[in-house]
């Protein structure tokens, strides 16, 4: 089994640099919840919304550099025009044209989700 530690290390390094500078770049964004909607489940106090964080996330989402072979980004499967999911395939396609074991989840209204991923293994960002 191949290990991808260097890719995880690079991603962790990017995140640490962002965290180190996050206090210097804080233009807050406020989530406007429509009337009669429930309160979001996501705890924004642990990861406040900022313009800079939003732009960083957007850039990483569309950048293929965090894939193992630098060929696909998150947006390759989470297609914006289809509610940030992959509707024309039963299973998402990965690097080297490999077919995954599941399709990408839709990335909409995630503030109201209690956990993330198919198995619920992630509960915060």
């Amino acid at each position: 089994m191949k290990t991808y530690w260097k890719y995880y290390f690079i991603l962790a390094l990017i995140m640490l640099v962002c965290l180190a500078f996050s206090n210097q770049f804080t233009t807050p964004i406020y989530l406007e919840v429509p009337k009669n909607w429930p309160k979001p489940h996501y705890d924004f106090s642990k990861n406040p919304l900022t313009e800079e964080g939003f732009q960083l996330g957007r850039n990483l989402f569309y950048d293929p550099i965090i894939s193992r072979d630098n060929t696909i980004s998150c947006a390759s499967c989470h297609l914006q025009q289809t509610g940030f999911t992959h509707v024309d395939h039963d299973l998402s396609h990965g690097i080297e044209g490999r077919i995954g074991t599941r399709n990408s989840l839709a990335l909409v209204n995630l503030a109201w989700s209690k956990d993330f991923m198919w198995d619920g293994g992630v509960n915060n960002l």
Side-chain angles (χ1 to χ4, degrees), residues 25-30 48-52:
F25 306 109
T26 54
T27 306
I29 296 175
Y30 300 99
L49 292 172
T50 65
E51 180 64 29
E52 295 77 14

CSV table of all heavy atoms in Angstrom, one decimal, residues 25-30 48-52:
chain,number,residue,atom,x,y,z
A,25,PHE,N,-5.7,38.5,9.1
A,25,PHE,CA,-6.6,38.7,8.0
A,25,PHE,C,-8.0,38.3,8.4
A,25,PHE,O,-8.4,37.2,8.1
A,25,PHE,CB,-6.1,37.9,6.8
A,25,PHE,CG,-4.7,38.1,6.4
A,25,PHE,CD1,-3.7,37.1,6.7
A,25,PHE,CD2,-4.3,39.3,5.8
A,25,PHE,CE1,-2.4,37.3,6.3
A,25,PHE,CE2,-3.0,39.5,5.5
A,25,PHE,CZ,-2.0,38.5,5.7
A,26,THR,N,-8.7,39.1,9.0
A,26,THR,CA,-10.0,38.7,9.5
A,26,THR,C,-11.1,39.8,9.1
A,26,THR,O,-11.3,40.7,9.8
A,26,THR,CB,-10.0,38.5,11.0
A,26,THR,OG1,-9.5,39.7,11.6
A,26,THR,CG2,-9.2,37.3,11.4
A,27,THR,N,-11.6,39.6,7.9
A,27,THR,CA,-12.7,40.4,7.5
A,27,THR,C,-14.0,39.4,7.7
A,27,THR,O,-14.2,38.5,6.9
A,27,THR,CB,-12.6,40.8,6.0
A,27,THR,OG1,-11.4,41.4,5.8
A,27,THR,CG2,-13.8,41.7,5.6
A,28,PRO,N,-14.7,39.6,8.7
A,28,PRO,CA,-15.8,38.7,9.0
A,28,PRO,C,-16.9,38.7,8.0
A,28,PRO,O,-17.2,39.7,7.4
A,28,PRO,CB,-16.3,39.2,10.4
A,28,PRO,CG,-15.9,40.6,10.5
A,28,PRO,CD,-14.7,40.7,9.7
A,29,ILE,N,-17.4,37.5,7.8
A,29,ILE,CA,-18.6,37.3,7.0
A,29,ILE,C,-19.7,36.8,7.9
A,29,ILE,O,-19.4,35.9,8.8
A,29,ILE,CB,-18.3,36.2,5.9
A,29,ILE,CG1,-17.3,36.7,4.9
A,29,ILE,CG2,-19.6,35.9,5.2
A,29,ILE,CD1,-16.9,35.6,3.9
A,30,TYR,N,-20.9,37.3,7.8
A,30,TYR,CA,-22.0,36.8,8.6
A,30,TYR,C,-23.0,36.0,7.8
A,30,TYR,O,-23.4,36.4,6.8
A,30,TYR,CB,-22.7,38.0,9.3
A,30,TYR,CG,-21.7,38.8,10.1
A,30,TYR,CD1,-21.1,40.0,9.6
A,30,TYR,CD2,-21.3,38.4,11.4
A,30,TYR,CE1,-20.2,40.7,10.4
A,30,TYR,CE2,-20.4,39.1,12.1
A,30,TYR,CZ,-19.8,40.2,11.6
A,30,TYR,OH,-18.9,40.9,12.4
A,48,PRO,N,-14.5,30.6,12.4
A,48,PRO,CA,-15.3,31.7,12.0
A,48,PRO,C,-15.2,32.0,10.5
A,48,PRO,O,-14.2,31.7,9.9
A,48,PRO,CB,-14.6,32.9,12.8
A,48,PRO,CG,-13.8,32.3,13.8
A,48,PRO,CD,-13.4,30.9,13.4
A,49,LEU,N,-16.3,32.4,10.0
A,49,LEU,CA,-16.4,32.8,8.6
A,49,LEU,C,-15.6,34.1,8.4
A,49,LEU,O,-15.9,35.1,9.0
A,49,LEU,CB,-17.8,32.9,8.1
A,49,LEU,CG,-18.6,31.7,8.1
A,49,LEU,CD1,-20.1,32.0,7.8
A,49,LEU,CD2,-18.1,30.7,7.0
A,50,THR,N,-14.7,34.1,7.4
A,50,THR,CA,-14.0,35.3,7.1
A,50,THR,C,-13.9,35.4,5.5
A,50,THR,O,-13.9,34.3,4.9
A,50,THR,CB,-12.6,35.4,7.7
A,50,THR,OG1,-11.8,34.4,7.1
A,50,THR,CG2,-12.6,35.4,9.2
A,51,GLU,N,-13.8,36.5,5.0
A,51,GLU,CA,-13.6,36.7,3.5
A,51,GLU,C,-12.3,36.0,3.1
A,51,GLU,O,-12.3,35.3,2.1
A,51,GLU,CB,-13.5,38.1,3.1
A,51,GLU,CG,-13.3,38.4,1.7
A,51,GLU,CD,-14.5,37.8,0.8
A,51,GLU,OE1,-15.6,37.8,1.3
A,51,GLU,OE2,-14.2,37.5,-0.4
A,52,GLU,N,-11.2,36.1,3.9
A,52,GLU,CA,-10.0,35.5,3.5
A,52,GLU,C,-10.0,34.0,3.6
A,52,GLU,O,-9.5,33.3,2.7
A,52,GLU,CB,-8.9,36.0,4.5
A,52,GLU,CG,-8.6,37.5,4.3
A,52,GLU,CD,-9.6,38.4,5.0
A,52,GLU,OE1,-10.4,37.9,5.8
A,52,GLU,OE2,-9.6,39.6,4.7
